Amino acid sequence: MSIIMKLEYLPNEILMKCFQYLNATDVIYSFNQLNYRFSKLIRNSPLHLSCSQYQQSLFDIYKHMFIKSLTILNCKFDDLFELFQNLSMIKYFKIEHLYNNFMTVDQLNLLDITVEKFIINDSQIKKFEIIEFLLNQMTKLQFFSISSSQIHIIDAIRWQNLITHSLHHLHTFKFCFDSDIADKLKMNDKLIKCRQFQTTFWQQHQWFINYEVDKFRLLIFTTPYIRKEYKLFPFTQKFIYFYSNGENIFDNVTHLTLYENSSKTKFHEFRNIISLTLKSSYDDFSNNYNLTKPLNEIMNTSNVKHLTITKTNEILIETIINQLPNIDSLTIQKSILLSLKNNCELYELLKTKIIKLDISISNFMDEDRFYSLYENSSSKHELSEFNIENLDELLFILKRYPNLSMINLGYIGYKIYLWIQLNSLSLDINIDYKLLNDPNRLTKPKSCELDLIVDLIY
C-alpha cells in the first residue's frame, strides 16, 4: 500500500528546516498567501539569500509587494546599505549580527531611510562615525536598540550630539556596551566613560544608565539589561551604579554564567534563567569551582533546564543538580563525564534527570582556535581532548544513559561516523556531530551570506 504525504501535513518545525535550503524569493512566491498557515509561517522562518542573489531577489520581491519588516541574522555594513537603497517603505529593521568592513563614510551615498524601529543585537562596527552616518539617514527613527563590544562606541558625548541634532523623533534608546579591551584601560578612565552617561540629558529622557566596572570589565547599559546573556564575575574591587526604576534589571537574561566566588549585589536577581554555566575562574585555569551560596539566592532555580559545567568535581556536580529540580539537559566535557562512572549516586541522578547531553567542543573553545589547531596539527592526537575518537567511549555513554533523546558529540573521527551511519535507524536517539575530516563540514561560515525574516504589505 502506497502512502501519499502532502506537504501541508508536515509540522511547522520540519517546514521551517526545509525553507532554509531554498532561496527566499522561491519560498515567498510559492507559499505567500497560499493559506493563512503558510503566510504566517514564512514571516517567522529564517529565509536565506546569498550575496550574489540578495539585491536582485529583494528587488523581485519588492516589485510585487512592499516589505515593511525585515530581520537579518548576519550582515556586513556595505550589504546593509545596499539593502536600504531597495527598501523605501520598510518600518521595522532588526539585525542579529552586523559585521565590520573597510568602507568609509565618504564612500556612501545619502539616503532617506524610513525605518522607525531599528535593532542591532550584536554590532561589530568599530568606528562610531559609521553608526553615526547610518543613523543620520533615519530621520523618522523612534526606537533604537544596540549591543556592542567596541570601545569607540562607548562615547556619551557623541551619542548626545547625534540624538540632539539628527534623531528628533527618538523616544526609546536601549543599549548595552562593554569592551573587549577593558583590561587595558585604567580604572579611572573606565569610570569617566561611564559617568558621562549620568548627566541631565539622559535623565531628562528617562533613559536610566547603569554600569559595572572591575579589573577586566567595562559594562554600561540602559535599564532593563537588554541582552539574554550575563556573566557574574568574582572580583571584589568593583564599582557599580544600578538604578532599577522599580523593575527587575535582569529579567531579560535567560543564560547566566557564574564564576567562582561571584560577588552579587541586591540588584543581581535572575528570575528567568533557563541555561546556567559554571566556570572556575575568569580565565578558567583553576580546576575546581567552589559554590559559596545556594543557587536559589541568585536565581529562580525552577526555570533552569540546561547546565554547562567545565572543570569541577563530582561532589559539586551532585550538589548543583540537586538544586535544579527541572534540569533535563547537560553540557559537560567528555573527560569529566567518563570520570563519573564509579560514582553510583551521581550516575543515578544523571540517568534519571538528563535526556539531552552535549559533550561537543563548541561550548568550551573558540571556533577560530579550533580551525587553527586542526589546520596546523601534525596528528589528530593533538586534538584528542576536543573530540571522541574511540567508539568504546560512545558505546559506554549510550549504554550508561539509556534515557537520552539527544546527544551532541562535536567533532568525531571517521570510524564513529561509519558506526552512526550503520546504526542510525536502530537507535532511538538523535545524534548530532561534525565529521573531523570532512572538508564540507569543516568550513568557516561566510559572513556575507544573509539570513532574513520578512514581513510584507500587499
Side-chain angles (χ1 to χ4, degrees):
M1 182 179 69
S2 61
I3 300 177
I4 300 176
M5 172 64 74
K6 292 185 177 181
L7 186 66
E8 61 186 298
Y9 290 163
L10 294 175
N12 289 347
E13 292 79 9
I14 293 180
L15 289 172
M16 292 174 71
K17 284 286 186 182
C18 294
F19 290 163
Q20 294 177 22
Y21 291 91
L22 302 175
N23 185 272
T25 52
D26 296 331
V27 173
I28 292 173
Y29 287 151
S30 300
F31 297 102
N32 186 47
Q33 291 189 307
L34 181 63
N35 56 43
Y36 175 79
R37 179 196 174 201
F38 278 102
S39 294
K40 184 177 180 180
L41 189 61
I42 64 173
R43 285 161 174 75
N44 295 280
S45 302
L47 305 180
H48 180 79
L49 291 175
S50 67
C51 290
S52 59
Q53 297 171 321
Y54 84 86
Q55 285 179 289
Q56 184 61 41
S57 298
L58 282 179
F59 179 72
D60 290 340
I61 297 172
Y62 189 73
K63 283 192 304 183
H64 297 87
M65 56 200 77
F66 293 118
I67 298 176
K68 68 174 183 179
S69 174
L70 184 64
T71 297
I72 296 181
L73 304 185
N74 298 285
C75 185
K76 291 197 300 184
F77 184 79
D78 51 352
D79 296 325
L80 173 64
F81 221 75
E82 292 293 337
L83 281 172
F84 278 127
Q85 291 182 350
N86 294 288
L87 300 173
S88 61
M89 294 292 293
I90 191 166
K91 301 299 182 184
Y92 173 93
F93 203 104
K94 179 179 179 181
I95 305 172
E96 289 296 334
H97 305 285
L98 179 61
Y99 297 102
N100 204 19
N101 61 3
F102 300 101
M103 295 185 68
T104 58
V105 293
D106 56 1
Q107 297 175 281
L108 302 173
N109 298 320
L110 293 175
L111 298 173
D112 182 17
I113 303 175
T114 60
V115 171
E116 296 176 0
K117 187 172 184 178
F118 188 33
I119 300 171
I120 309 174
N121 281 338
D122 173 29
S123 172
Q124 299 183 24
I125 303 298
K126 295 182 178 180
K127 295 182 178 181
F128 188 94
E129 52 263 32
I130 297 293
I131 296 291
E132 183 179 40
F133 182 83
L134 176 62
L135 293 179
N136 273 326
Q137 320 306 310
M138 299 182 177
T139 56
K140 298 179 176 65
L141 189 64
Q142 300 176 25
F143 179 106
F144 180 52
S145 176
I146 182 173
S147 179
S148 174
S149 297
Q150 304 300 323
I151 187 64
H152 297 297
I153 303 298
I154 311 175
D155 192 327
I157 297 175
R158 295 192 69 172
W159 279 112
Q160 180 176 337
N161 290 335
L162 171 62
I163 294 168
T164 302
H165 295 105
S166 300
L167 305 178
H168 303 297
H169 299 286
L170 186 69
H171 59 71
T172 302
F173 182 30
K174 299 182 178 182
F175 65 78
C176 185
F177 300 144
D178 58 3
S179 174
D180 52 2
I181 60 168
D183 58 323
K184 299 179 181 178
L185 300 177
K186 295 180 180 179
M187 182 66 73
N188 190 54
D189 293 335
K190 298 178 188 178
L191 292 173
I192 290 175
K193 275 188 168 293
C194 293
R195 289 166 181 166
Q196 287 177 340
F197 285 92
Q198 304 290 330
T199 63
T200 55
F201 169 82
W202 302 95
Q203 296 168 1
Q204 288 172 353
H205 283 81
Q206 293 190 330
W207 297 332
F208 303 107
I209 318 298
N210 302 327
Y211 61 82
E212 205 170 329
V213 178
D214 57 41
K215 179 179 179 182
F216 291 98
R217 190 178 213 185
L218 167 56
L219 174 66
I220 182 166
F221 58 93
T222 52
T223 300
Y225 183 83
I226 61 174
R227 292 178 181 171
K228 293 181 179 180
E229 301 84 16
Y230 184 83
K231 296 179 180 180
L232 190 58
F233 291 116
F235 305 108
T236 55
Q237 187 181 1
K238 181 180 294 189
F239 296 88
I240 294 178
Y241 177 86
F242 280 168
Y243 181 85
S244 66
N245 193 28
E247 56 187 328
N248 193 293
I249 295 176
F250 297 106
D251 271 1
N252 289 324
V253 178
T254 58
H255 293 64
L256 176 65
T257 297
L258 290 181
Y259 287 86
E260 182 180 11
N261 299 320
S262 299
S263 54
K264 171 186 175 295
T265 73
K266 65 178 181 179
F267 294 103
H268 285 105
E269 298 178 7
F270 304 97
R271 302 190 294 190
N272 300 312
I273 303 301
I274 61 175
S275 179
L276 174 64
T277 298
L278 301 181
K279 290 195 174 183
S280 301
S281 68
Y282 181 76
D283 296 307
D284 207 22
F285 290 145
S286 61
N287 292 323
N288 294 300
Y289 182 100
N290 295 316
L291 192 65
T292 59
K293 57 178 70 70
L295 291 177
N296 60 12
E297 293 185 11
I298 302 172
M299 72 191 75
N300 181 355
T301 56
S302 62
N303 289 333
V304 180
K305 294 288 188 179
H306 180 82
L307 175 65
T308 297
I309 298 178
T310 53
K311 300 174 182 178
T312 188
N313 56 67
E314 298 179 16
I315 297 176
L316 180 63
I317 294 177
E318 187 172 352
T319 301
I320 294 170
I321 292 181
N322 276 321
Q323 295 183 61
L324 305 174
N326 296 316
I327 183 176
D328 64 5
S329 177
L330 176 66
T331 294
I332 190 170
Q333 286 176 307
K334 176 196 71 177
S335 57
I336 298 177
L337 183 69
L338 295 177
S339 69
L340 305 178
K341 60 184 178 181
N342 296 323
N343 188 327
C344 295
E345 291 184 4
L346 180 54
Y347 159 66
E348 288 296 332
L349 185 62
L350 293 176
K351 179 181 175 182
T352 303
K353 285 180 169 286
I354 303 303
I355 62 174
K356 299 177 183 178
L357 180 63
D358 190 336
I359 52 175
S360 69
I361 67 163
S362 59
N363 294 286
F364 310 110
M365 184 180 184
D366 182 79
E367 286 287 304
D368 288 333
R369 182 183 166 208
F370 175 78
Y371 291 124
S372 177
L373 284 174
Y374 181 81
E375 292 167 356
N376 298 321
S377 62
S378 57
S379 68
K380 291 181 183 178
H381 179 71
E382 296 178 38
L383 295 172
S384 61
E385 65 176 296
F386 303 127
N387 60 79
I388 291 185
E389 292 185 352
N390 188 338
L391 180 58
D392 291 337
E393 291 178 343
L394 175 58
L395 295 177
F396 174 82
I397 293 172
L398 294 178
K399 182 179 180 181
R400 187 88 167 168
Y401 302 97
N403 296 329
L404 291 178
S405 63
M406 189 280 290
I407 183 170
N408 186 351
L409 304 177
Y411 290 93
I412 63 173
Y414 193 68
K415 289 182 179 180
I416 296 180
Y417 167 76
L418 289 178
W419 183 88
I420 293 174
Q421 295 302 306
L422 291 172
N423 294 275
S424 59
L425 294 178
S426 61
L427 295 173
D428 189 21
I429 182 175
N430 178 26
I431 301 180
D432 194 10
Y433 61 86
K434 293 180 180 179
L435 184 57
L436 186 61
N437 53 359
D438 183 352
N440 296 321
R441 296 294 300 274
L442 195 62
T443 305
K444 294 183 181 180
K446 298 179 179 179
S447 60
C448 62
E449 292 183 336
L450 302 180
D451 296 299
L452 51 87
I453 299 172
V454 299
D455 196 6
L456 311 169
I457 305 176
Y458 310 102

